[in-house]
Amino acid sequence: MIKCIFCDIIDGELSSHVIYDDDDCLVILDKYPIDNGHSLIITKQHYEKITDMNTNDVSKLFSKIPKIVNAIIKATGADAFSIAQNNGKAAKQIVPHVHIHVIPR
């Protein structure tokens, strides 16, 4: 079984600041935030790249973005936000586990 730092967080082996949790994903505050409230939406099942996921799982993941982003915007008072999803080392994916950055601006 593939294991990474995000798998350890999901399994409760490492601590994090959880802001949302359901059957499919975990949302935590980024350890090295770009802006206040920078969060990561992490799939609970380990996938290295989004292309490793089936379309149904990708749809479920991305369908959660509006709810999560609205809560983050409300909590931070931000005027706007950016989302990013990197795949592979050349794309600056640091942790090889699918995750979406939500960066309030």
Side-chain angles (χ1 to χ4, degrees), residues 3-4 6 8 20 22 28 41 61 66 69 71 79 83 94 103:
K3 201 93 157 121
C4 68
F6 287 166
D8 289 342
Y20 179 83
D22 69 18
I28 64 172
I41 305 171
L61 175 63
V69 169
D79 294 325
I83 59 172
I94 296 168
I103 307 163

Side-chain angles (χ1 to χ4, degrees), residues 42-67:
I42 306 167
T43 58
K44 285 202 173 167
Q45 184 170 339
H46 181 92
Y47 301 102
E48 184 173 335
K49 298 176 184 169
I50 202 163
T51 51
D52 298 332
M53 298 173 69
N54 67 49
T55 56
N56 185 50
D57 288 342
V58 173
S59 295
K60 281 196 295 185
L61 175 63
F62 276 81
S63 71
K64 297 169 192 281
I65 291 174
K67 176 182 179 177

